[in-house]
Amino acid sequence: EGPGGGFVLTMRTVSWNGSYWEGRTVEGTYGSGKFNFISSDSVGRPQLVYANVGAMHASLRYARWDGDKWQSEILEGADQVALIESVALAMDNRDNPHITYTDVGNEVIKYATRRGGKWTFQTIDRLLRRRYPDRNGIALDAAGNPFISYFDSATGLLKIAYKDNDHWIAEVVDRDYCGYTSSIQIAGGVLWLTYADDMGGLKSA
């Protein structure tokens, strides 16, 4: 049980070691792991982005497996709590992580990446209202450029954002309350997007 008799929420992983499923705690801070996404670098080491949703520790966190243990860091919320949802992660061919997430407190979609050991953060777009629990999508093209999908539940618009030089451009992909829990992939130069249509079911574009 957690504080006050509720459930315990911590970030954990499980992997097959050749004989059995081996579970590990990434970090035991109460509230971690409700929103999470996993990817891997060029040598197969897993990388995680996740949110801590505990009232005292709300934050965006990142962890990487160094071959022996998990190394975790707080990207947003170390000094002041940050309410985070809808995280997604993609790794480029130079092992740079690219992250998208929803900053709930400010109702914005954000992007973070690490190059040369330094994290940078950008605001992509503002939401009139987020939907809970939504999911954003992220994919990289052959040059490592990020494409991010997200949904504004107030306007009912599904959007994709991409960078033009250092500026983000957002395009409407679908409307009429289509776009919840989007997922995006780029294959052979073609961008694929799946999402839920609240009026009619699952869709793809």
Side-chain angles (χ1 to χ4, degrees):
E1 290 187 348
F7 61 88
V8 173
L9 183 63
T10 56
M11 185 70 247
R12 287 179 57 81
T13 61
V14 63
S15 60
W16 180 254
N17 65 13
S19 301
Y20 59 89
W21 288 100
E22 185 175 3
R24 295 179 185 268
T25 297
V26 176
E27 59 120 336
T29 306
Y30 176 77
S32 285
K34 186 174 181 65
F35 296 94
N36 61 77
F37 202 98
I38 189 169
S39 188
S40 60
D41 64 16
S42 59
V43 295
R45 291 173 298 197
Q47 318 277 310
L48 295 173
V49 62
Y50 57 100
N52 184 297
V53 297
M56 301 296 292
H57 306 288
S59 54
L60 174 69
R61 303 186 178 210
Y62 184 79
R64 58 190 182 278
W65 179 251
D66 66 7
D68 180 57
K69 60 185 178 301
W70 285 101
Q71 303 282 351
S72 181
E73 58 185 311
I74 299 175
L75 304 187
E76 278 204 49
D79 300 320
Q80 183 177 354
V81 296
L83 303 178
I84 303 298
E85 296 176 1
S86 307
V87 301
L89 167 68
M91 304 293 294
D92 67 25
N93 57 15
R94 295 184 178 181
D95 288 339
N96 297 311
H98 300 257
I99 298 169
T100 183
Y101 57 101
T102 300
D103 177 342
V104 175
N106 296 301
E107 295 287 3
V108 294
I109 304 295
K110 287 186 175 180
Y111 164 77
T113 189
R114 187 187 66 216
R115 297 182 185 277
K118 182 180 179 181
W119 288 97
T120 59
F121 302 83
Q122 292 179 313
T123 295
I124 297 172
D125 200 359
R126 181 167 297 278
L127 301 176
L128 292 180
R129 185 176 64 239
R130 106 279 190 196
R131 181 168 169 183
Y132 177 88
D134 201 359
R135 180 180 63 211
N136 301 336
I138 187 168
L140 308 176
D141 67 11
N145 299 309
F147 289 76
I148 293 171
S149 62
Y150 56 98
F151 177 61
D152 189 327
S153 65
T155 60
L157 298 177
L158 171 66
K159 295 182 179 181
I160 286 183
Y162 57 90
K163 295 184 77 172
D164 182 9
N165 293 319
D166 201 38
H167 301 284
W168 287 94
I169 296 175
E171 293 185 1
V172 175
V173 176
D174 208 341
R175 56 188 70 241
D176 298 327
Y177 299 93
C178 300
Y180 181 53
T181 61
S182 65
S183 180
I184 188 172
Q185 183 63 266
I186 299 175
V190 178
L191 191 153
W192 294 88
L193 182 64
T194 62
Y195 52 100
D197 175 357
D198 277 6
M199 306 302 292
L202 183 67
K203 298 183 72 173
S204 64

